[in-house]
Amino acid sequence: MQFIETRGNDGQHPENLSFSQAILSPISSFGGIYSPVSLPALGEDFLSQHLASSYKTLARGVLDAFEIDIDSATIDQALALYDEFDDPANPVPVVKVYDDLYVSELYHGPTRAFKDMALQPFGVVLSSIAQQRKENYLILAATSGDTGPAALETFKNKANVRVACMYPVGGTSDVQRLQMVTENADNLKVIGVKGDFDDTQNALKRLLASAAFNQKLKEKHIYLSAANSVNFGRIIFQTIYHIHSYLELVRQKAIDLGEKVYLNVPSGNFGNALGGYYAMQMGLPVEKILIASNKIYILTQLIKTGAYDLRTQAVVPTTSPAMDILKSSNIERILFDLFGSARTRELMLQLDNEKYYQLNADELETIQAIFAADFCEDAEGKAYIKKTFEQGYLMDPHTATCFKTYETCREKNLKTIVYSTAEWTKFSPVIANALTGEIDTRDIDALKSIAENANIKIPAMINELFDKEITHKCVIEK
Ligand SMILES: *Cc1c(COP(=O)(O)O)cnc(C)c1O
């Protein structure tokens, strides 16, 4: 499988790359990224073949179909990390909540958010390629909460890779911060920045553009890579669970093989939804992909009107912070796949220069044949958390945004798979507030309250965080 550039070629970047090369240097000409030149077809045969497969066997089948240039032993080692999830036999449980609504729980990994689904195996793959090439890589990350812990967890003590991660002091939940500052490994550095998420991201951008910094890296023979979802090494692992969730519905006799479903995805950078889109293009029977936004409704606006308009929107903090994103990186791969590189380059450059683009009527029609979208205000989300809890299911505020799209976007009476992207433990103050009205400023109080209310246990890896030694104390001015 070869990867090509979303914005065409500038004569300086390679026009096409193998999978491993695309992982190491994800940025292509004109500020574009790499996308697969074509997708494997996984028809009904593939699905019926894998009806009885374990998650890992299915994953192996999907990765083989992509024909990636990663050796078999490394892939096995990467997929073995799913054995560390809560239930090795079923790392992604799919739970029936209503007759036609099933929740696919993507948060049963070590950091309790869906980022582990891809970053866990990705860490093994990146480190192994770096070792084979005898090269050293630095991953720089600015995080608003979930990517940081998952990236640190996957790369800790991995050979030939180091991670430096910046987070906004006061801008993450206690659990998210503790997950970062208690990580103890020589190849990790965590830095608190006195500012908001944008300040950490700006600091990162200044660093990447700094000649002195780049000179220093060169002297030390260190290359830079990225662990965010512009890296296709993450996306590939995010196609698998969409296929798995569909097969789970067949196994649970909710649908017959071949019957269409809705995929319902809480979206920010659009990596999760892109995985669903690729699964659909590869032949998974999907009616439409429902995109759930929070009150930052940039993706909803795009899908409803064809306008991507940064001029009219600002990032306002919400109760689903992992979706507080204006520049959604993976939309670019959708544009490329549907409309080609010349048009993608035109649209993305316009977005850079004028903060805005508008799809034409044909393009909008193409998008709307695949996606539908709606946005969910914080208060609505809280109401869904409470109502759904009273009906026996506890969920986090990101997952809750999907219950709005479930109500407003379905045109047919088909089963819907909602993707749950975080465990309740990661956003406990919001959930405790939704359930009882209490206002907890500390996660530990909210965790205890919910655990008691729902009669469940706080998972050990969350509880332990509060007693762990803080190893990263570095806090700097913005
Ligand atoms: C990252 C994240 C999202 C958004 O996923 P994208 O792939 O960026 O669209 C949603 N919910 C949670 C909890 C996340 O951590």
Side-chain angles (χ1 to χ4, degrees):
M1 169 74 61
Q2 288 290 305
F3 289 78
I4 52 174
E5 303 171 287
T6 52
R7 301 188 193 181
N9 188 255
D10 64 3
Q12 290 175 19
H13 289 76
E15 262 177 71
N16 56 68
L17 292 181
S18 69
F19 177 72
S20 62
Q21 290 166 324
I23 283 188
L24 295 175
S25 355
I27 302 300
S28 66
S29 303
F30 309 112
I33 47 184
Y34 287 96
S35 263
V37 68
S38 62
L39 293 165
L42 310 177
E44 241 178 73
D45 278 358
F46 180 90
L47 294 178
S48 58
Q49 235 174 43
H50 281 285
L51 253 183
S53 292
S54 69
Y55 191 88
K56 280 198 296 183
T57 305
L58 170 70
R60 187 75 216 211
V62 175
L63 295 178
D64 285 349
F66 268 96
E67 297 179 357
I68 53 177
D69 60 332
I70 305 293
D71 62 87
S72 190
T74 301
I75 293 181
D76 284 343
Q77 201 193 336
L79 296 178
L81 290 169
Y82 291 122
D83 294 339
E84 308 297 319
F85 281 44
D86 292 341
D87 179 0
N90 189 10
V92 182
V94 179
V95 178
K96 180 174 172 176
V97 173
Y98 300 141
D99 274 347
D100 55 358
L101 187 158
Y102 287 70
V103 177
S104 173
E105 298 179 345
L106 303 176
Y107 57 74
H108 289 276
T111 72
R112 317 317 278 170
F114 107 97
K115 302 292 188 284
D116 289 332
M117 290 305 304
L119 276 169
Q120 279 290 305
F122 176 76
V124 171
V125 171
L126 180 67
S127 166
S128 131
I129 305 171
Q131 287 173 66
Q132 282 165 14
R133 296 169 66 112
K134 300 193 170 55
E135 292 171 348
N136 285 297
Y137 283 84
L138 172 64
I139 304 273
L140 284 175
T143 184
S144 64
D146 280 340
T147 299
L152 295 166
E153 181 65 27
T154 194
F155 288 116
K156 76 175 170 193
N157 299 318
K158 289 268 190 343
N160 299 48
V161 182
R162 279 173 256 187
V163 182
C165 176
M166 289 188 277
Y167 70 94
V169 172
T172 69
S173 74
D174 296 342
V175 165
Q176 289 172 324
R177 178 179 49 82
L178 290 171
Q179 283 180 326
M180 293 187 272
V181 298
T182 61
E183 279 288 14
N184 193 1
D186 287 341
N187 66 333
L188 308 179
K189 175 92 181 162
V190 180
I191 303 161
V193 176
K194 289 187 193 164
D196 58 22
F197 175 58
D198 278 337
D199 294 322
T200 63
Q201 227 170 6
N202 288 336
L204 190 69
K205 280 186 193 145
R206 272 202 304 277
L207 203 51
L208 292 176
S210 147
F213 178 66
N214 282 292
Q215 182 58 32
K216 199 89 194 168
L217 289 176
K218 234 188 198 155
E219 282 166 17
K220 292 178 178 272
H221 304 287
I222 293 173
Y223 297 90
L224 281 174
S225 186
N228 59 14
S229 58
V230 303
N231 198 315
F232 199 85
R234 271 182 58 179
I235 302 297
I236 200 166
F237 291 105
Q238 291 177 188
T239 59
I240 298 160
Y241 55 71
H242 293 286
I243 302 169
H244 160 82
S245 303
Y246 181 89
L247 290 174
E248 266 300 301
L249 257 58
V250 178
R251 289 177 199 129
Q252 295 182 23
K253 306 216 180 330
I255 55 170
D256 293 325
L257 192 68
E259 203 174 321
K260 287 192 173 176
V261 299
Y262 288 104
L263 307 181
N264 191 347
V265 187
S267 295
N269 229 359
F270 218 75
N272 193 351
L274 180 70
Y277 168 84
Y278 285 146
M280 182 179 179
Q281 300 299 321
M282 291 190 291
L284 194 70
V286 173
E287 174 68 20
K288 266 187 192 178
I289 302 172
L290 312 183
I291 301 302
S293 323
N294 59 23
K295 84 177 152 207
I296 300 167
Y297 59 93
I298 194 116
L299 293 170
T300 299
Q301 189 180 37
L302 173 70
I303 289 160
K304 285 196 165 165
T305 70
Y308 203 103
D309 196 347
L310 297 167
R311 298 168 308 182
T312 56
Q313 299 212 21
V315 177
V316 279
T318 70
T319 52
S320 43
M323 294 157 65
D324 293 355
I325 288 172
L326 278 179
K327 272 200 166 179
S328 182
S329 316
N330 281 299
I331 292 292
E332 178 160 354
R333 288 193 167 108
I334 302 283
L335 298 178
F336 171 73
D337 206 56
L338 296 174
F339 312 129
S341 62
R343 180 65 172 151
T344 303
R345 182 178 165 202
E346 181 177 51
L347 293 169
M348 297 311 293
L349 290 184
Q350 195 185 352
L351 187 65
D352 283 344
N353 296 329
E354 298 168 41
K355 308 283 169 233
Y356 154 84
Y357 65 72
Q358 171 74 52
L359 300 178
N360 66 36
D362 286 349
E363 290 165 343
L364 180 57
E365 201 179 313
T366 304
I367 293 273
Q368 288 178 341
I370 302 166
F371 298 102
D374 204 349
F375 69 101
C376 180
E377 300 268 4
D378 288 354
E380 294 174 288
K382 272 197 220 165
Y384 285 122
I385 291 173
K386 186 169 164 67
K387 179 175 153 204
T388 311
F389 178 69
E390 283 162 3
Q391 289 167 341
Y393 190 74
L394 179 62
M395 65 180 168
D396 100 295
H398 300 80
T399 312
T401 62
C402 293
F403 282 64
K404 174 79 176 278
T405 31
Y406 164 75
E407 281 183 2
T408 60
C409 292
R410 296 185 318 150
E411 292 157 339
K412 295 185 183 168
N413 197 11
L414 299 171
K415 299 280 188 284
T416 301
I417 301 170
V418 162
Y419 290 93
S420 184
T421 47
E423 189 177 56
W424 62 275
T425 53
K426 290 208 91 167
F427 301 96
S428 55
V430 177
I431 299 170
N433 178 258
L435 298 185
T436 66
E438 72 196 66
I439 298 171
D440 299 313
T441 48
R442 298 192 317 161
D443 283 30
I444 189 69
D445 300 322
L447 285 167
K448 284 180 182 155
S449 152
I450 298 166
E452 191 177 321
N453 201 343
N455 198 17
I456 47 178
K457 276 199 169 140
I458 303 171
M461 70 269 268
I462 297 291
N463 234 343
E464 286 160 7
L465 285 174
F466 296 91
D467 301 322
K468 268 193 177 165
E469 187 195 348
I470 303 219
T471 46
H472 299 275
K473 294 180 181 150
C474 175
V475 171
I476 60 173
E477 299 295 329
K478 67 180 179 187

